[in-house]
Amino acid sequence: MVKVLVSGACGRMGQAVVKAVQDDADLSLVAAVDVRGGVDAGEAAGCGKCGVMVGTDLEKALLDSRPDVMVDFTRPDAVFSNAMLAVKNGVAPVIGTTGMTADERAQLEALSLEKNTPVFLAPNFAIGAVLMMLMSRQAAKYMPHVEIIELHHDNKLDAPSGTALQTAEMIREVRASAQQGHPEEKEKLPGARGAKVDGIHIHSVRLPGFVAHQEVIFGGLGQTLTIRHDSINRESFMPGVVLACKKVRDLTGVVVGLEKLLD
Ligand code: NAP
């Protein structure tokens, strides 16, 4: 049985994680933490009382409940300190919160190795999104002209999305840095052509009604190819989160991407 603490338990993703942990026979919810504490985690998640009260002090919850794994879906400005605290206490973080900087990741990697406590991080826990990224990397070998459009709900705090950045990273593995569009093109409004990663343009859309969606568009002579993924609800992420909870303790250091856990 894997003992799980959920950090950000009252948020949109945290509530879905509380329910997924409750529903899995091999996982046990031992603690829940959120800025908004004082409620039963199951009741907050809408799946009935579970006897685990949501606390507000992460370190106290880690020490009191001694979990094996901490799942974190909080905020870009909270995830790093939460993850460092978990690793310091020998608890393996499964991180879904996006927006951690490269420097923070490096510090987490150093502590993870020092404490012999693995960390798993995925910018997207949906299997379809992972396939979209893998297929995009494959397509970019043959169609190197590519732009990414990511679309999310308007409560998302970071832009571009972690999934868009990870997709660009994976495309960079197979595609030389190149400027796209006309060499003399001018933006009449700053940002009109989006953000750029090695010449790959990324466009971020934020609107109510969306959950998490992305299109990767490739252009070639007389043809285009579009690879699109849609998460239509937050359950789409749960099989990936559950798998990570079960496998994280077999890893070493900081491991990034759900594809690393798949056969
Ligand atoms: P959300 O609804 O705002 O939930 C975040 C929750 O964490 C809120 O209840 C928030 O409380 C709480 N919180 C803030 N700081 C905290 C802290 N220091 N300790 C404990 N709890 C804290 O956001 P969400 O939609 O669930 O998304 C959470 C994160 O997951 C975002 O970064 C999002 O991009 C990411 N995400 C990742 C995936 C993936 O597959 N990897 C999928 C979807 C979303 P307050 O509201 O009071 O601040």
Side-chain angles (χ1 to χ4, degrees), residues 154-209:
D154 59 348
N155 285 313
K156 187 166 174 58
L157 293 175
D158 53 324
S161 70
T163 305
L165 288 171
Q166 178 76 6
T167 308
E169 264 321 302
M170 289 170 71
I171 289 173
R172 278 174 78 185
E173 290 170 16
V174 299
R175 170 195 183 274
S177 173
Q179 195 204 321
Q180 291 184 179
H182 196 286
E184 289 170 23
E185 96 181 351
K186 290 209 168 33
E187 285 183 325
K188 290 193 169 173
L189 282 177
R193 294 284 289 120
K196 291 171 202 97
V197 176
D198 258 359
I200 304 167
H201 295 238
I202 302 179
H203 312 269
S204 298
V205 179
R206 298 288 177 267
L207 284 172

Side-chain angles (χ1 to χ4, degrees), residues 6-15 33-36 55-56 58 72-79 81-82 95-99 122-126 152-153 155-158 162-163 211-212 234 237 241:
V6 179
S7 169
C10 296
R12 289 169 291 249
M13 287 295 290
Q15 290 178 33
V33 176
D34 200 286
V35 174
R36 295 166 273 166
T56 52
L58 178 59
D72 189 286
F73 282 97
T74 56
R75 295 168 52 102
D77 57 4
V79 56
S81 59
N82 287 352
I95 300 174
T97 314
T98 49
N124 201 312
F125 277 97
H152 282 81
H153 59 86
N155 285 313
K156 187 166 174 58
L157 293 175
D158 53 324
T163 305
V211 178
R234 290 179 177 81
F237 305 113
V241 174

Side-chain angles (χ1 to χ4, degrees), residues 4 6 8-23 28-34 36-55:
V4 180
V6 179
C10 296
R12 289 169 291 249
M13 287 295 290
Q15 290 178 33
V17 174
V18 164
K19 185 170 183 316
V21 170
Q22 301 267 72
D23 288 347
S28 163
L29 182 75
V30 295
V33 176
D34 200 286
R36 295 166 273 166
V39 287
D40 182 279
E43 277 188 336
C47 56
K49 214 170 187 157
C50 67
V52 173
M53 290 301 282
V54 180

